Amino acid sequence: SHTTIYHWIQTYVAIIKKYVDQFKPRLSCVWQADETFISFKGKKEHTKLVLPQKGHYCWIMIDTGSRFVLNMHLGQDKSLEEGMEFFEKIKDIYPDIPEVVCTDGNISYQTCMKRFYPDAKHVLLRLITLKPNTSVIERMNGTVKNRTKTMRCFDEFIPCQNWLTLF
């Protein structure tokens, strides 16, 4: 049944992640980062605080050349603390330094880039342009949104993070 499969996912995601993290893909020199909002049913939250938005932000970093997802981090908000945790995870697993990182206007990215990738060029993409553009990361955001929408939202933080990790 679907509940059995869901239980397997929650149980084995840590084992699969440990195995997959051993692989080191060939990354291009251009990465893109963005965040998208994932709705929650609002029954249980990650902290004891009740958040009015009833959801969390999924931070995503993707390699533009290979389309390899470097990290999907579920955070409370779009704050600097969440950004630092997001970048720290990427740096721990992928020591490669990109030449260019494209992001939107979220102020957290500027501070994180200075700390984790000071030699990389940080390109802010605030408007839709022909080149460079955010089509790769926005398409990934759309894929995440389409999947989470059909799942009828999440009840809890940990199962959602596990699903993103498995994704």
Side-chain angles (χ1 to χ4, degrees), residues 37-46 53-57 74 152-158 160-161:
F37 188 76
I38 296 179
S39 297
F40 274 56
K41 290 182 183 176
K43 295 179 182 174
K44 299 175 186 171
E45 295 293 337
H46 179 54
Q53 75 249 22
K54 293 188 179 170
H56 298 284
Y57 283 90
L74 191 62
R152 308 282 194 259
C153 298
F154 290 95
D155 284 331
E156 300 175 20
F157 186 89
I158 299 299
C160 183
Q161 180 60 60

Side-chain angles (χ1 to χ4, degrees), residues 34 57-60 71-73 77-79 83 86 106 109:
D34 198 12
Y57 283 90
C58 175
W59 296 65
I60 304 171
N71 189 17
M72 294 176 83
H73 167 74
D77 49 32
K78 299 192 289 185
S79 67
F86 172 64
N106 183 347
Y109 289 122

Side-chain angles (χ1 to χ4, degrees), residues 66 128 147 152:
S66 65
I128 297 174
R147 184 63 187 133
R152 308 282 194 259

Side-chain angles (χ1 to χ4, degrees), residues 86-102:
F86 172 64
F87 273 81
E88 183 110 22
K89 288 178 185 176
I90 295 167
K91 190 81 171 175
D92 287 346
I93 298 172
Y94 307 103
D96 299 343
I97 297 173
E99 291 178 22
V100 177
V101 177
C102 302

